[in-house]
Amino acid sequence: MRTPRKIQKAFLAIEQSEGVGARVRRSIGSAALRNFSPFLMLDHFSVSPGAGFPDHPHRGIETVTYLLQGSADHEDFAGNRGTIEEGDLQFMTAGRGIVHSEMPRPNKEGDAAVGMQLWVDLPENLKSVEPRYRDLRAKEIPTISVDDDK
């Protein structure tokens, strides 16, 4: 039988502005939780139409984005582009460096794109790899039932 672990620290992730008009609640990477290697940052984001994350660089990290609501377009300087929708995951390996943008896709209702993004520090041997993307669609992600969904 496993012994449950105790919660070491609890704190409120304060909402702040990021990018252009986007709102994030940062837990990992905030002053309250640093040095959590290999995890560099964890944001819960809300990006209304007209807001977003225009061209910005990354290097030596992997970003993992999970979209809870809406859809978002990504595009980079190498001509890669795509869209992730509600329930989709995107893995972006920045490797030796990439400049890209992440912008909400406008919808009829004018709703925000809402999701989570985790930044993971790549191991030394992967910091210089070519940048790449991998999208997993919601239908490709396995689900499990715990306690008969109770």
Side-chain angles (χ1 to χ4, degrees):
M1 178 148 181
R2 288 182 160 172
T3 304
R5 292 192 233 176
K6 293 182 180 179
I7 295 172
Q8 296 293 315
K9 186 176 199 174
F11 63 94
L12 178 63
I14 305 297
E15 187 173 294
Q16 63 190 48
S17 181
E18 278 289 327
V20 175
R23 304 299 295 171
V24 303
R25 287 186 178 272
R26 180 162 298 149
S27 53
I28 297 171
S30 68
L33 188 57
R34 293 199 187 282
N35 302 319
F36 203 58
S37 182
F39 306 109
L40 302 172
M41 188 189 82
L42 177 61
D43 280 352
H44 175 261
F45 61 83
S46 179
V47 186
S48 298
F53 304 97
D55 290 349
H56 60 281
H58 291 287
R59 183 170 186 245
I61 67 170
E62 175 103 9
T63 65
V64 183
T65 305
Y66 179 64
L67 213 53
L68 299 165
Q69 173 185 306
S71 57
D73 295 325
H74 64 272
E75 183 174 355
D76 70 31
F77 72 99
N80 298 304
R81 63 175 45 139
T83 301
I84 57 173
E85 310 274 344
E86 186 172 313
D88 293 347
L89 273 168
Q90 179 190 75
F91 300 84
M92 182 191 74
T93 305
R96 66 182 189 159
I98 195 165
V99 175
H100 79 134
S101 65
E102 300 157 293
M103 304 298 283
R105 176 166 278 207
N107 57 62
K108 290 182 253 179
E109 297 79 22
D111 292 335
V114 178
M116 307 284 287
Q117 188 172 78
L118 177 67
W119 290 13
V120 182
D121 193 19
L122 288 172
E124 196 63 38
N125 65 323
L126 296 177
K127 286 192 180 279
S128 295
V129 299
E130 286 291 319
R132 62 181 178 255
Y133 292 91
R134 169 121 197 270
D135 292 351
L136 276 176
R137 303 298 170 202
K139 65 183 179 199
E140 300 174 288
I141 301 169
T143 58
I144 62 168
S145 176
V146 178
D147 294 331
D148 296 321
D149 290 332
K150 292 181 186 173

